[in-house]
Amino acid sequence: WLELARIRHKYNYNKYFYLELMSISKLRGIFNTDKGGSYSNEYEVSFKFDDNLNADILSRLKYYGFNPSSSSEGAYSDMMFLCDEASLPGTFAATNEVDGVYAGRLIQYPHAKLYNDMRLSFIQTNQLNPQKFFEAWMGGMFPEYSMNQSGGGEILPAERERRRTVTNTVGLRYYNEMTCNMRVQKTYKNSTDPSGENSCYYDMINAYPYSIESVPLSYGASTLNKLRVSFRYEKHVVIFYDQKGA
């Protein structure tokens, strides 16, 4: 009885310490079961272009040295490595309001599933490769044509003098020729493979850049330039890597 009283006194005196130890042990057990905590700097971003539908845009990208269809290392893979900010996209419900069903109560009911815009940020190099890539993509979405009948045809990136002509008209490419699928893959490190494993991936269907933000330049503190690009898409599909596989 004396020993039991001593233990009870010790617990009452340090009960918060024991509760804290129990919380840490439980948190550690959860992390061990779920393969650790998720960190924000473990992800990959990629674009999947169609060789036939996106042929015109791919030709513009290849002019600047990008080949998204190639699996080997190159300017495209280097540029995607410079993507320093991304996000796992969100979903929200569009709502309408009904008033008067009950006195003093406003009912908001969901009627459509909507998707948030996607925003990526890239570290700029002195060759401005991210800027080249998305300017070429945007230029392929809105090709320019010369009003001069002798020239004719779509103006290509290499035709610098024709691109400067003020009277050029701006066209619009077909929707399925300017969009592609974009993937954001959440990864994590493990003790057996340096490249880690995958938690999930989001496929954005028919994505296209709609905003290339301006890059501010100023005298003062020297910082890395970053290019931020916003995308819109039709829908996204999420696949989780769990016990059922991907």
Side-chain angles (χ1 to χ4, degrees):
W1 290 103
L2 291 176
E3 183 66 23
L4 182 61
R6 189 180 300 110
I7 293 174
R8 186 183 299 112
H9 171 73
K10 185 177 181 181
Y11 173 77
N12 289 332
Y13 185 75
N14 299 301
K15 59 181 178 179
Y16 296 109
F17 173 73
Y18 285 103
L19 290 175
E20 185 177 353
L21 282 180
M22 291 172 60
S23 300
I24 294 174
S25 299
K26 184 175 182 179
L27 181 63
R28 184 178 298 170
I30 294 173
F31 277 4
N32 289 337
T33 302
D34 294 345
K35 300 183 179 180
S38 177
Y39 293 93
S40 61
N41 61 346
E42 298 172 344
Y43 64 93
E44 295 178 3
V45 182
S46 61
F47 299 101
K48 185 174 179 56
F49 291 90
D50 186 277
D51 291 336
N52 296 320
L53 292 176
N54 304 125
D56 294 318
I57 290 179
L58 284 173
S59 66
R60 289 173 174 263
L61 295 177
K62 289 177 182 177
Y63 171 77
Y64 290 107
F66 302 103
N67 188 8
S69 302
S70 175
S71 58
S72 60
E73 297 289 331
Y76 170 73
S77 61
D78 292 345
M79 186 206 69
M80 298 311 300
F81 185 78
L82 297 175
C83 180
D84 71 322
E85 288 182 24
S87 61
L88 300 179
T91 310
F92 65 100
T95 59
N96 275 340
E97 297 179 352
V98 176
D99 193 7
V101 177
Y102 301 100
R105 185 184 303 176
L106 181 67
I107 299 175
Q108 294 186 343
Y109 66 91
H111 67 87
K113 182 180 180 181
L114 301 178
Y115 302 92
N116 293 327
D117 294 344
M118 188 67 185
R119 190 187 189 205
L120 300 179
S121 173
F122 295 84
I123 298 174
Q124 292 273 47
T125 61
N126 281 331
Q127 294 295 321
L128 298 180
N129 281 336
Q131 196 101 18
K132 290 179 186 176
F133 183 90
F134 292 106
E135 289 289 353
W137 191 346
M138 191 72 78
M141 293 167 57
F142 303 100
E144 290 192 4
Y145 299 88
S146 175
M147 295 292 289
N148 185 359
Q149 295 297 328
S150 61
E154 181 179 330
I155 300 175
L156 301 177
E159 301 175 293
R160 299 183 179 182
E161 291 302 323
R162 293 183 66 197
R163 289 168 58 193
R164 291 189 176 94
T165 305
V166 179
T167 56
N168 291 340
T169 60
V170 179
L172 176 64
R173 211 170 294 280
Y174 287 109
Y175 177 74
N176 60 351
E177 295 178 353
M178 70 172 73
T179 61
C180 74
N181 292 343
M182 177 170 58
R183 173 173 291 187
V184 177
Q185 190 156 301
K186 181 68 183 70
T187 61
Y188 63 91
K189 300 185 180 77
N190 61 18
S191 57
T192 59
D193 188 358
S195 59
E197 298 182 37
N198 300 313
S199 299
C200 72
Y201 65 81
Y202 281 79
D203 278 342
M204 274 66 74
I205 310 299
N206 291 335
Y208 64 92
Y210 79 92
S211 172
I212 301 176
E213 296 184 15
S214 58
V215 180
L217 305 174
S218 64
Y219 291 110
S222 179
T223 58
L224 281 171
N225 287 331
K226 292 188 179 182
L227 179 71
R228 293 178 173 87
V229 185
S230 298
F231 297 83
R232 286 187 175 147
Y233 54 94
E234 292 184 20
K235 60 177 289 188
H236 69 240
V237 179
V238 57
I239 305 296
F240 294 98
Y241 290 85
D242 52 14
Q243 290 83 359
K244 300 178 181 179

